[in-house]
Amino acid sequence: MFHHISIGVTDVVRAARFYDEVFESLGYKRVMNFLPQAVAYGAGIPHFWVQLPRDGTSSSGNGAHVAFAAKNKAAVDAFHARALEMGGKDNGAPGPRPNYGQEYYGAFIIDPDGNHIEAVVTPKAAVAKKAPAKKAKAAPAKKAKAPAKKIAAKAKPAGRKTATRRAAPRVRARGRRR
């Protein structure tokens, strides 16, 4: 659903040390490096950015929540344990969360800057399967419009010897011609 997300931190170098270690358990790694302003993580493509806030003031993740997909329950457990070792705060130990789904298994931490981060694994069966997309029929090719010179030649009144160019009708903001 999202292309990428960014969170603000007060110290990118410190945050990078934290996320380098924590994301290893989920199979994500640092893929872009703009120290000391920002770093980005993903599985090859930068989806999660850690950066200084735009206004340069301290940042708090109060109310923000980002959840990362884990491959299995062991990865969720490792994420949580490593986050605590690296200075994160427990915000929900690894375990089932039946109120989120019958087989939802997640762990919640708060990073050193107050951002709420989760690792979660859900069964593949819980993912809605989409019907295969139907191929769209190719629309018939439209004929190319005649070049402007040909149009101008056709629009020239008969009997005139000098070439004149007719101005194209003006289009107003609402799409009507003047």
Side-chain angles (χ1 to χ4, degrees), residues 30-153:
R30 190 186 314 185
V31 295
M32 295 189 89
N33 201 22
F34 296 99
L35 288 172
Q37 288 82 22
V39 292
Y41 295 88
I45 297 172
H47 288 293
F48 182 72
W49 288 81
V50 177
Q51 62 192 35
L52 293 175
R54 289 181 188 242
D55 64 4
T57 62
S58 64
S59 175
S60 173
N62 188 19
H65 176 100
V66 181
F68 293 93
K71 294 176 184 167
N72 52 43
K73 291 178 181 180
V76 171
D77 296 345
F79 158 85
H80 187 264
R82 194 66 183 145
L84 296 180
E85 289 172 14
M86 294 302 299
K89 295 178 186 169
D90 178 30
N91 197 32
R97 301 291 192 279
N99 51 331
Y100 297 156
Q102 189 175 10
E103 295 185 49
Y104 193 104
Y105 188 89
F108 304 83
I109 61 103
I110 300 172
D111 79 1
D113 284 282
N115 295 295
H116 295 239
I117 309 297
E118 174 185 359
V120 61
V121 63
T122 56
K124 292 178 182 175
V127 178
K129 292 185 179 181
K130 293 182 179 180
K134 293 181 180 179
K135 285 189 176 181
K137 292 182 181 179
K142 292 183 179 180
K143 291 184 180 180
K145 291 184 179 181
K149 287 181 180 179
K150 287 185 180 179
I151 293 172

